[in-house]
Amino acid sequence: MAEELALLVADVFEAAGALRRAGEALAGAEGQTQARWQLMSVVSEESLPVARAARRLGVARQGVQRIANELVRDGLAEFRDNPDHRTSSLLALTPSGRRALEAITARAEAAHRVMGEGIAQADLATLRALLRRLTEQTDQWAEAEAEAGTGAEAGGAKRGTRSRAAADRQPE
């Protein structure tokens, strides 16, 4: 069991690398980066403070702040007043940002149709369910290790949340 899981982990990392390269190509065709695409996607349904967007993405706030500033500079996003917190503005897409996100999403949908050729929808659903379960169990293990003080980090739950939230926005 442990050996099969180790091989699966290696396969997931390899798939993640391939998908990251594909994402960069898709975003790049629209003059964006995958990081900018991810941030635009996270704030596409609701405006969020940068810190919350970073938690949803499972990455450092400072990096997300830099990307948010670039999106604002390029007219793709804007900072709005946050009624819940005076000093933590909300990041929101502008109409230009929505158009850029829609263009990248359209390219991604076309690419996903090609990438998924020959894979049954039921197999994809099973794989997604298994990956979500593995993610949850990994997060639980990491949290237990962190509580026990063995050095494992407990930040994985945030990444799992973002992954499910982003996946829920993707058309089936």
Side-chain angles (χ1 to χ4, degrees), residues 26 37 102 104-114 169-171:
L26 291 165
W37 175 20
E102 288 168 4
I104 297 168
T105 300
R107 284 183 182 277
E109 288 171 358
H112 293 162
R113 281 192 292 279
V114 173
R169 286 195 301 274
Q170 294 294 323

Side-chain angles (χ1 to χ4, degrees), residues 103-138:
I104 297 168
T105 300
R107 284 183 182 277
E109 288 171 358
H112 293 162
R113 281 192 292 279
V114 173
M115 290 177 203
E117 283 180 10
I119 302 174
Q121 191 144 6
D123 289 342
L124 289 172
T126 299
L127 179 57
R128 285 185 63 215
L130 286 170
L131 284 173
R132 284 192 306 271
R133 182 174 169 196
L134 178 59
T135 299
E136 289 169 8
Q137 288 180 200
T138 301

Side-chain angles (χ1 to χ4, degrees), residues 19-101:
L19 291 168
R20 198 171 7 276
R21 288 187 300 277
E24 282 295 342
L26 291 165
E30 296 296 331
Q32 302 301 319
T33 65
Q34 183 173 7
R36 288 167 64 112
W37 175 20
Q38 288 173 340
L39 183 54
M40 287 190 293
S41 181
V42 164
V43 299
S44 65
E45 290 184 15
E46 67 174 316
S47 303
L48 294 173
V50 167
R52 190 173 320 151
R55 284 191 299 273
R56 294 243 343 246
L57 291 167
V59 296
R61 182 199 55 78
Q62 294 85 348
V64 174
Q65 184 67 59
R66 181 185 56 77
I67 295 166
N69 292 343
E70 291 174 3
L71 291 172
V72 170
R73 180 198 66 210
D74 294 344
L76 299 173
E78 62 188 5
F79 289 114
R80 296 181 180 163
D81 289 339
N82 183 345
D84 296 328
H85 198 281
R86 231 177 13 156
T87 61
S88 180
S89 299
L90 299 173
L91 183 65
L93 290 182
T94 62
S96 294
R98 290 203 179 281
R99 285 191 298 275
L101 180 59

